[in-house]
Amino acid sequence: MLMGSLGSCRPVLVVCIVLILSLIRASEVAGAPKGHFYKWEVEYMFWSPDGVENVVMGINGRFPGPTIRARAGDIIHVELHNKLHTEGVVIHWHGIRQLGTPWADGTAAISQCVINPGETFSYRFTVDRAGTYFYHGHYGMQRSAGLYGTLVVDVAEGEKEPFHYAGEFDLLLSDWWHKSVHQQEVGLSSNPLRWIGEAQSLLINGRGQYNCSLYSKNAQNDCNIKGGEQYAPYILHVLPNTTYRIRIASTTSLASLNFAIGGHKMLVVEADGNYVMPFMTNSLDIYSGESYSVLITTNQKPNNYWISAGVIGREPQTNQALTILNYKPISASKLPKLPPPATPQWNDTDRSKAFSNKVLAHMNTPKPPKNYDRRVILLNTQNKLNGLTKWAINNVSLSLPATPYLGSMRYGLHGAFDQANPPENYPQDYDLMNPPVNPNTTIGNGVYKFGFKTTVDVILQNANTLSNVSEVHPWHLHGHDFWVLAYGEGKFTNKDEKKFNLKNPPYKNTAVVFPHGWTALRFVADNPGVWAFHCHIEPHLHMGMGVVFAEGIERLGEIPHQALACGLTGTSFMDTNKH
């Protein structure tokens, strides 16, 4: 419309300018989406996330990467240049459903090829819904190397949140190892397995303190944080008697965490980009891949209070991450008088389940279909493959193909991956409570194909490991949100359907499976594309703990050349396949 109107302008400059301005104002009033353009360079660099200098993967010389902030309906355009000398890279926009842009999901070998050294790839997508999200590397274990950052989507212009606050903070929680990501990967692929062990530090917004405690009268000296700009605590400065929103996201590679603020209760209002029925809590369990918003009111005695994040779900061998809630005008260098909140017992599964069951959908959240069309039961097991330790789903350990699924399925390259349907259940005589009698597994890269708009139930079933324990697994689905219908213990049977919450189940993109238990999910396969569904613990995915879903591929139009050629120019993927 703008160009057409300009063509009719008289050669009077003032008239043209007035017309242009009026058209711009009209488009703003009409709520036209705003574009946000970023030019990013990914490279390794020396950094001190916890006071110990190491090599991290940063963006534009920063760690964590830059925060993206937009409004619902806006368009994000990231021009990503790979400055790594010896490896490819991709970035996944965690929680963004990529409606109509499956090629921008940022999953290596699923939605795109890796972006090779020296190449540039353009991600362009719409952030369709307000919420708390983040982004991270999705190739190899680059999330463990530090490739992540925050992505916040505010409500569209003219819309309001169902709660009020005067200010906000964004907290990104992560864990950090002093071993390089390459050492970690080689160890996981060794015979015998060389396990990476527990993290050396927990980070809040990329900042932590190794081998010291902020909770000390001499913390400034003990932790040597004077002048340590890269690892000095990220302090939350607040005014008394004010309500603040704290957005909390977890991009940890291994740790499940409990988050708390000394002396303050939190009102939970959002989970994974969806509003929830508000509830008060003293602490918040957050698993890798999850995000929450909480409201706090600074109605305590003006002072400084500890904020803590500690390990649950695994026996903790890593100190709490600590920072300070600083009431102005109190000096932030004055340490809190009370000790930090104690992290709950790491293996108190009943407490963790009770917290998860408090998360219920807000009244305006879409309701789940009452019935399902197809049910897939996925058994998580730890296995052996030619002496290597693997994770498997229904005895298949995922090994991604060389050609990305999205292109090969759209253009009929049937030899690019296994065409056999992967198993949709496991033998019902399998003993969940003991290590497998036959530990051997197979590898595969088949796809679960769903009819468009099919309602799918996924039952995630946890089992025992080779070392006779059962672990916590947070599972993340790309391209969709799902309803968490129920958590249960032991082996799922059809009789457990009576436990399903069809009234107000939480609507999320990441859900935990507890030890020796099951989690029931329901989603509608209404987003054409190929989507990863996997454990969000980085080494578990690296060792094969994931599956691939596909739906509506025939509804996709032409996939952008660059998405198939991964930033290269010249002969396109489609041209190659015409011969």
Side-chain angles (χ1 to χ4, degrees):
M1 174 169 176
L2 181 60
M3 294 305 296
S5 300
L6 284 176
S8 64
C9 272
R10 298 289 183 267
V12 181
L13 183 59
V14 175
V15 174
C16 287
I17 292 175
V18 170
L19 177 58
I20 292 170
L21 291 175
S22 66
L23 288 168
I24 290 173
R25 292 191 190 99
S27 67
E28 290 174 346
V29 172
K34 181 180 178 182
H36 303 263
F37 183 80
Y38 304 89
K39 293 187 73 171
W40 285 0
E41 293 183 337
V42 176
E43 61 184 329
Y44 283 110
M45 59 190 190
F46 287 106
W47 204 266
S48 301
D50 61 359
V52 177
E53 189 176 68
N54 217 313
V55 173
V56 306
M57 194 172 283
I59 298 175
N60 293 353
R62 296 173 58 180
F63 167 77
T67 294
I68 290 178
R69 188 147 202 149
R71 288 190 177 275
D74 286 355
I75 297 170
I76 306 297
H77 187 173
V78 177
E79 191 175 281
L80 188 72
H81 179 65
N82 182 2
K83 289 187 69 176
L84 306 173
H85 295 295
T86 59
E87 61 189 290
V89 69
V90 297
I91 288 184
H92 168 57
W93 315 95
H94 187 107
I96 304 302
R97 294 177 294 181
Q98 300 295 345
L99 302 176
T101 52
W103 46 82
D105 190 46
T107 45
I110 297 177
S111 63
Q112 68 172 103
C113 309
V114 297
I115 307 163
N116 289 318
E119 290 183 353
T120 298
F121 183 87
S122 291
Y123 291 100
R124 183 181 172 87
F125 55 90
T126 298
V127 287
D128 65 293
R129 185 180 45 184
T132 303
Y133 309 103
F134 59 100
Y135 61 85
H136 60 80
H138 215 292
Y139 177 56
M141 290 177 59
Q142 291 179 344
R143 179 157 51 96
S144 292
L147 184 54
Y148 46 73
T150 298
L151 197 167
V152 173
V153 183
D154 293 308
V155 294
E157 195 74 47
E159 295 186 8
K160 294 183 179 180
E161 308 261 21
F163 42 81
H164 303 282
Y165 54 94
E168 71 175 70
F169 301 94
D170 308 324
L171 301 183
L172 189 61
L173 310 180
S174 55
D175 39 17
W176 183 249
W177 283 260
H178 291 166
K179 284 184 179 180
S180 74
V181 68
H182 302 109
Q183 285 179 287
Q184 295 180 38
E185 290 173 346
V186 171
L188 294 172
S189 303
S190 296
N191 183 9
L193 172 76
R194 295 193 181 188
W195 175 241
I196 60 175
E198 303 303 310
Q200 274 65 64
S201 303
L202 299 176
L203 310 180
I204 299 176
N205 285 357
R207 302 176 178 208
Q209 293 76 42
Y210 172 67
N211 202 24
C212 71
S213 174
L214 285 179
Y215 176 47
S216 165
K217 292 181 180 179
N218 300 313
Q220 294 287 338
N221 295 324
D222 290 352
C223 290
N224 191 29
I225 57 177
K226 283 187 176 179
E229 295 180 3
Q230 295 177 357
Y231 56 92
Y234 175 86
I235 294 173
L236 280 64
H237 301 283
V238 297
L239 295 171
N241 301 310
T242 306
T243 298
Y244 292 89
R245 179 181 191 168
I246 304 179
R247 299 177 184 266
I248 310 159
S250 175
T251 186
T252 55
S253 294
L254 178 63
S256 305
L257 300 174
N258 179 267
F259 177 89
I261 303 174
H264 293 73
K265 289 184 177 293
M266 297 177 285
L267 182 70
V268 182
V269 294
E270 178 217 348
D272 290 0
N274 293 285
Y275 300 129
V276 300
M277 291 298 293
F279 67 94
M280 297 295 297
T281 184
N282 292 318
S283 68
L284 176 89
D285 287 355
I286 183 167
Y287 300 91
S288 178
E290 288 189 317
S291 64
Y292 285 95
S293 282
V294 300
L295 301 182
I296 67 164
T297 300
T298 51
N299 54 10
Q300 301 301 302
K301 180 180 178 181
N303 215 320
N304 289 332
Y305 297 86
W306 288 113
I307 297 174
S308 69
V311 174
I312 58 171
R314 306 180 65 86
E315 188 169 2
Q317 299 175 27
T318 309
N319 290 336
Q320 284 180 316
L322 293 176
T323 190
I324 291 174
L325 182 74
N326 164 239
Y327 275 63
K328 294 179 180 180
I330 305 296
S331 170
S333 63
K334 182 180 179 182
L335 296 179
K337 295 179 180 179
L338 297 176
T343 300
Q345 187 67 24
W346 68 274
N347 56 357
D348 188 351
T349 306
D350 288 341
R351 186 207 62 81
S352 295
K353 288 179 182 177
F355 175 82
S356 293
N357 281 315
K358 290 180 182 178
V359 183
L360 298 171
H362 191 270
M363 62 183 70
N364 295 327
T365 304
K367 304 290 184 186
K370 293 184 178 180
N371 300 298
Y372 66 91
D373 301 308
R374 186 168 164 190
R375 173 170 287 169
V376 177
I377 300 178
L378 303 177
L379 175 70
N380 307 329
T381 58
Q382 193 180 53
N383 302 83
K384 289 289 186 178
L385 180 70
N386 299 325
L388 301 177
T389 302
K390 293 287 186 180
W391 288 95
I393 304 301
N394 292 348
N395 209 45
V396 178
S397 184
L398 180 63
S399 178
L400 294 171
T403 303
Y405 291 102
L406 187 65
S408 59
M409 294 186 72
R410 173 64 180 82
Y411 298 107
L413 300 183
H414 301 300
F417 63 93
D418 187 357
Q419 295 296 304
N421 295 326
E424 300 198 7
N425 207 332
Y426 66 96
Q428 290 306 295
D429 60 354
Y430 188 94
D431 185 358
L432 301 174
M433 306 306 292
N434 291 293
V437 176
N438 178 2
N440 295 321
T441 189
T442 58
I443 61 171
N445 53 34
V447 177
Y448 292 88
K449 300 169 187 170
F450 302 120
F452 189 62
K453 292 194 175 180
T454 296
T455 297
V456 181
D457 274 13
V458 177
I459 310 297
L460 292 167
Q461 178 70 67
N462 215 340
N464 225 319
T465 65
L466 296 171
S467 56
N468 200 29
V469 296
S470 188
E471 299 188 16
V472 166
H473 299 290
W475 275 72
H476 170 59
L477 177 59
H478 293 227
H480 305 80
D481 285 344
F482 49 65
W483 293 275
V484 185
L485 300 184
Y487 304 95
E489 298 179 5
K491 185 177 293 186
F492 175 85
T493 68
N494 289 338
K495 294 180 181 178
D496 288 314
E497 288 186 21
K498 63 180 181 293
K499 302 175 183 176
F500 286 4
N501 174 11
L502 300 179
K503 179 182 177 182
N504 58 352
Y507 200 40
K508 300 179 85 266
N509 62 58
T510 303
V512 62
V513 189
F514 293 105
H516 291 126
W518 54 265
T519 299
L521 314 174
R522 180 168 293 177
F523 76 97
V524 178
D526 57 359
N527 190 8
V530 186
W531 310 106
F533 181 46
H534 60 89
C535 178
H536 211 259
I537 292 176
E538 192 82 317
H540 290 187
L541 174 59
H542 186 71
M543 298 161 72
M545 197 174 192
V547 295
V548 177
F549 292 164
E551 74 237 27
I553 300 297
E554 69 284 354
R555 292 175 172 265
L556 290 174
E558 184 174 302
I559 297 174
H561 290 205
Q562 191 195 33
L564 299 171
C566 303
L568 294 174
T569 58
T571 304
S572 73
F573 185 98
M574 285 172 285
D575 291 337
T576 300
N577 287 286
K578 289 178 181 177
H579 304 288

